[in-house]
Amino acid sequence: MSDYTDVDKKQDLHILHSMGYAQELERRMSQFSNFAVSFSIICILSGGINSLAQATSGAGGASIGIGWPLGCFISLVFAVAMAQISSAYPTAGGLYHWGSILGNRFTGWLTAWFNLLGLVTVLGAINVGTYYFFMGSFGTPYFGLEDTTTTRIIFLTIITGAQALVNHMGIGLTAKLTDFSGYLIFATAILLAVVCLAAADTYEIGRLFTFSNYSGEAGGNVWPQTSGTWVFLLGLLLPIYTITGYDASAHTSEETVKAAESVPRGMVSSVLWSALFGYIMLCSFVLMIPNMDEAAKQGWNVFFWAMDAQVHPVIKDILYLAIFVSQWLCGLATVTSVSRMIFAFSRDGGLPASKALSKVSPTYRSPVAAIWTGSILSVLFVWGSSLVSIGETPVYTIVVSCTVIFLFFSFAIPITLGLFAWGTSKWDKMGPWNLGEGMFKLFAILSIVAMVLIFVLGIQPPNDWALYITVGFLVVTGIIWYGFESRRFRGPPIGDEVARRQAEIAAAEKAVGEV
């Protein structure tokens, strides 16, 4: 980062100090690293593969050829609107800070809880997806492992523990691995696309724009029997579920050089590149499928079925290894994101044991307690929710269907507040990444419309319990806020409180060796 001058460093420090915070975390991430951490969490080799059946067992080829770019655009409108806000307020746990400044203590607190719940559960879901990919590619075929709750939790404990350990050792090592992850995802997606095209029997391009209705038994019961229109709309959940997690660029703001410029660029570019390379990869896969009707019947096993049928075993295993490593690195980057959210919220007293959770290791310059707490909670979530069922559906499956709703709610709250706060005393100064009032408000309105669509799609069968979980969470949140937090929680420093914190800022920076 030879282009990071003393002037740039002073500017980053000035912005952070002006919001009442100390430079406790180490600013080691380049603009590419900030992009790579979001690109790694999005990881088209994780969600794009593990959730593939939502498309192939839905509207078939059209769910990829038409549905993928449409769903990616829905994610992009959030990223663009959030980028505008992140340039003005580049702090760790950015969403919580935005929700507080553009709204009030309650909206900031609510944003934090939605984002935190979404991040912890999505970390568990990502690593469960990695587990099932490992079982399908190596675990069962080569090691004869059986899928049991014990096997799943042991596997999750090992890989999540390794992800936490790397994060514990500092942002320098984490950034190097997520940088590598960015290149690995690019290379593997291209290689997978080339292999699929080489293995294809024919190139039926029209297949990518052919609408089918594989709901019910025709699609392995991935979706209940429904209309062709609905099954296409439900297929949009594939790109929407995959293209999320780009808020990681905001969460690592305090570790990114020239954050006011790098963070918004990292956020938007991670979505655009994921959308493009995901489209190339998935279209190539659909063209390789020998028979769409047979593929739909495979349900959630469609990826392995098609690869077994069309690809040479050695090439297939090389691809599987690269995909597995990419999925592990996806979880690694997610640990970074969730730990920074915990750290930032605790820094302002938003969580139990906040003093411990906000502590930064002077040796590694990382929020050690936050890293291990978020990682342990994700494993406990998977373990506990796998043991309890509602009817025949595990609670884990029900909560994971809520995860994206929670995350996008946490995106939508500060965006909606920004729509009304633009130009007022709450938001009268923009950052260097500036769309202008008209463009920001357009993307903010599109984000609100997209949020409604995501919520409606997210609570459809077989995920209809997601409605009750979401409403229940809102009720519990209201009780906690009005019963306890409204009198205790002060929110981030604003106004005179920032000036009063300057002595604390100096002491905090001295404690971690920041000079």
Side-chain angles (χ1 to χ4, degrees), residues 160-475:
T160 309
Q163 291 159 350
L165 182 60
V166 170
N167 272 275
H168 180 131
M169 295 171 70
I171 195 62
L173 177 60
T174 303
K176 286 177 182 177
L177 287 174
T178 52
D179 285 358
F180 168 73
S181 172
Y183 293 117
L184 181 64
I185 292 169
F186 277 127
T188 306
I190 292 170
L191 180 59
L192 180 58
V194 170
V195 168
C196 288
L197 292 174
D201 297 326
T202 60
Y203 297 132
E204 299 177 40
I205 302 298
R207 175 186 287 182
L208 296 168
F209 308 100
T210 301
F211 288 86
S212 304
N213 186 345
Y214 292 122
S215 60
E217 291 186 11
N221 291 309
V222 169
W223 299 115
Q225 188 69 49
T226 187
S227 69
T229 301
W230 262 114
V231 84
F232 173 75
L233 290 173
L234 290 168
L236 295 177
L237 292 175
L238 167 63
I240 291 170
Y241 279 13
T242 302
I243 312 293
T244 189
Y246 39 85
D247 52 325
S249 289
H251 291 312
T252 53
S253 293
E254 292 176 30
E255 292 153 285
T256 302
V257 301
K258 295 188 272 192
E261 299 176 16
S262 300
V263 169
R265 291 180 184 277
M267 203 177 298
V268 174
S269 59
S270 66
V271 172
L272 290 173
W273 284 111
S274 296
L276 176 61
F277 277 77
Y279 193 55
I280 294 169
M281 180 186 79
L282 293 176
C283 284
S284 302
F285 178 82
V286 170
L287 293 175
M288 181 190 72
I289 290 174
N291 183 286
M292 286 301 298
D293 293 344
E294 286 300 313
K297 290 178 184 177
Q298 305 305 313
W300 297 106
N301 193 48
V302 63
F303 181 76
F304 293 116
W305 170 82
M307 294 292 284
D308 288 344
Q310 299 295 106
V311 179
H312 188 279
V314 175
I315 296 175
K316 181 180 66 176
D317 284 348
I318 292 171
L319 281 168
Y320 284 173
L321 180 61
I323 292 169
F324 173 69
V325 172
S326 297
Q327 292 187 359
W328 183 83
L329 290 168
C330 171
L332 172 76
T334 308
V335 171
T336 306
S337 191
V338 68
S339 63
R340 273 47 176 185
M341 183 64 224
I342 292 173
F343 161 76
F345 196 29
S346 299
R347 184 167 55 180
D348 293 325
L351 291 171
S354 282
K355 189 173 182 180
L357 291 173
S358 62
K359 189 172 179 58
V360 174
S361 165
T363 304
Y364 298 107
R365 298 289 295 273
S366 61
V368 171
I371 288 167
W372 287 101
T373 298
S375 301
I376 291 168
L377 285 175
S378 74
V379 175
L380 291 177
F381 153 67
V382 175
W383 187 13
S385 60
S386 297
L387 298 175
V388 181
S389 297
I390 298 178
E392 296 182 358
T393 306
V395 168
Y396 166 79
T397 304
I398 295 169
V399 175
V400 166
S401 67
C402 300
T403 292
V404 173
I405 293 176
F406 292 152
L407 282 176
F408 277 102
F409 264 148
S410 74
F411 299 170
I413 293 170
I415 291 172
T416 303
L417 294 170
L419 176 65
F420 297 101
W422 183 290
T424 69
S425 58
K426 290 186 175 182
W427 193 15
D428 57 0
K429 185 178 180 182
M430 303 300 143
W433 204 90
N434 190 357
L435 295 170
E437 182 176 3
M439 285 297 290
F440 170 76
K441 289 189 173 180
L442 171 62
F443 277 94
I445 292 169
L446 288 173
S447 297
I448 295 168
V449 173
M451 182 67 251
V452 173
L453 176 64
I454 291 169
F455 182 72
V456 170
L457 294 179
I459 62 173
Q460 297 304 309
N463 302 322
D464 39 334
W465 269 97
L467 173 62
Y468 305 106
I469 295 290
T470 303
V471 171
F473 177 72
L474 283 169
V475 171

Side-chain angles (χ1 to χ4, degrees), residues 19-30:
M19 289 186 284
Y21 297 117
Q23 183 67 65
E24 295 181 88
L25 303 174
E26 192 172 19
R27 215 172 274 272
R28 292 278 299 276
M29 296 178 71
S30 64

